[in-house]
Amino acid sequence: MLKTVAAIVIDRVAPFEFGVVCEVFGIDRTEEGVPPFEFLVCGERPGEPLPTGVGAQLIPAHGLDAVERADLVAVPAAAMRDDYPPAVLDALRKANARGATLLSVCSGAFILGAAGLLDGRNCTTHWRHGQELLARFPSIKLDPDVLFVDDGDIITSAGTAAGIDACLHLVRRELGSNVANVIARRMVVPPQRDGGQRQYVALPIPECDADSLSPVLTWLLDNLRTEHTVADLARHARMSERTFARRFVAETGTTPNKWLTMQRVLRARHLLEDTAMSVEEVADDCGFGSAALMRHHFNKIVGVAPKDYRRTFGAATV
């Protein structure tokens, strides 16, 4: 049973990510049937103000000794650095060793990694920091596409609001859907979001500095609606198919078909965000040929269906 929750804070803690943990576990909702949580804000030096990096300070009421009785130890995001407080890392290791559940929000995963607790484990973090997390801790099993990863006694979440998803998931896992739904309603958030964080990642606009293919790529972007074969593109570039395919991979890092599909998905995202075009019209404009084929590629690359993406990001009324 989840009864005692300790949130460990360090200097330059991120207020929003800390607030997520407070909102889920630190508010008394017993009148609505939510079991009470003992909520402990813990720091290396209790009573001392910690800078947050946004012109405010946070004062932990408890020391790290209070972590020893927590069923859940939450690690909010904090400014990333080369070295983290040894006492904090030791407290996390001890909590893990005695069987407590650990939950990180966003860059809090770096603190767990510094404690050696993510070695060989499935985990995630904000999509902007994924490669850095992997570079620092190469033995982790990073999933950069999801909102959170439940690896049993360690739960890691992606950026910022994904901490809400991870916290509500843990409540659902430990206390049931009814309790999670009550908390979600009070927070005015969905109890469970669809998709992963791929839908929030900006797809890069293609770059190609080489003179040989830049005109072809520019022409392709202006003619995505047209069906293209490698043979057609090679003729447009005035090369043999073999030479064109080899240069394309060398200069773009991918094949012509994959490059075209990625750019069509990128255009589809923009149209879904900025226009009231139907999915069928978007598919035709982007050169997919059919809405079904667009849904297939869009879901594979972005992680959600086109209509779900528009529901989240669309500015136009459909």
Side-chain angles (χ1 to χ4, degrees):
M1 184 64 70
L2 184 61
K3 294 183 178 180
T4 302
V5 179
I8 295 182
V9 292
I10 63 175
D11 64 290
R12 292 179 290 164
V13 62
F16 184 93
E17 285 79 352
F18 171 68
V20 165
V21 178
C22 295
E23 182 71 25
V24 175
F25 300 107
I27 295 178
D28 185 350
R29 296 190 173 98
T30 52
E31 78 281 358
E32 296 181 77
V34 177
F37 300 116
E38 180 186 17
F39 187 67
L40 310 170
V41 180
C42 305
E44 191 173 3
R45 290 176 290 277
E48 280 192 24
L50 292 173
T52 63
V54 294
Q57 294 179 322
L58 177 65
I59 304 175
H62 301 274
L64 295 175
D65 56 327
V67 177
E68 297 175 4
R69 67 176 192 269
D71 307 304
L72 168 66
V73 181
V75 187
M80 294 181 294
R81 63 205 73 185
D82 293 332
D83 299 301
Y84 291 93
V88 169
L89 302 183
D90 188 54
L92 290 170
R93 294 186 193 104
K94 289 179 179 177
N96 178 254
R98 64 176 173 78
T101 299
L102 306 182
L103 183 150
S104 68
V105 182
C106 193
S107 62
F110 284 79
I111 305 176
L112 295 182
L117 299 176
L118 296 183
D119 293 346
R121 304 291 296 260
N122 297 304
C123 62
T124 193
T125 190
H126 193 293
W127 59 268
R128 292 187 65 187
H129 306 316
Q131 289 307 307
E132 183 174 352
L133 185 70
L134 192 58
R136 291 196 189 191
F137 313 109
S139 64
I140 66 172
K141 299 176 182 177
L142 178 72
D143 188 340
D145 296 331
V146 296
L147 295 174
F148 62 86
V149 170
D150 182 343
D151 200 40
D153 58 345
I154 294 182
I155 298 175
T156 51
S157 76
T160 312
I164 299 174
D165 300 285
C167 289
L168 290 176
H169 165 76
L170 179 61
V171 171
R172 187 180 305 109
R173 189 186 83 177
E174 298 297 323
L175 301 174
S177 295
N178 289 339
V179 174
N181 290 343
V182 168
I183 297 174
R185 281 196 297 271
R186 280 286 297 271
M187 295 176 65
V188 198
V189 297
Q192 188 168 355
R193 282 194 291 170
D194 294 328
Q197 62 174 328
R198 268 184 295 168
Q199 61 189 299
Y200 302 96
V201 179
L203 294 178
I205 295 176
E207 294 183 1
C208 181
D209 297 328
D211 293 336
S212 58
L213 287 187
S214 288
V216 177
L217 298 186
T218 300
W219 177 80
L220 275 175
L221 289 176
D222 292 334
N223 293 274
L224 288 177
R225 192 171 186 172
T226 305
E227 183 177 351
H228 302 284
T229 66
V230 174
D232 293 336
L233 296 176
R235 281 194 295 271
H236 189 86
R238 298 180 180 178
M239 300 177 187
S240 69
E241 285 189 45
R242 178 177 294 183
T243 299
F244 175 80
R246 184 176 66 250
R247 287 194 182 179
F248 200 99
V249 172
E251 295 179 17
T252 69
T254 188
T255 66
N257 286 333
K258 288 182 179 179
W259 189 93
L260 267 172
T261 299
M262 181 65 75
Q263 302 320 313
R264 283 169 170 154
V265 168
L266 177 60
R267 176 162 175 77
R269 287 176 67 161
H270 291 165
L271 293 176
L272 291 169
E273 291 173 12
D274 300 331
T275 76
M277 295 169 64
S278 68
V279 171
E280 289 73 16
E281 290 171 329
V282 171
D284 181 65
D285 186 273
C286 296
F288 281 109
S290 70
L293 188 60
M294 173 178 146
R295 291 188 188 99
H296 168 76
H297 289 299
F298 198 94
N299 211 326
K300 184 176 181 181
I301 292 173
V302 182
V304 294
K307 286 186 177 180
D308 294 331
Y309 183 83
R310 167 171 273 164
R311 190 180 303 119
T312 301
F313 296 100
T317 301
V318 181

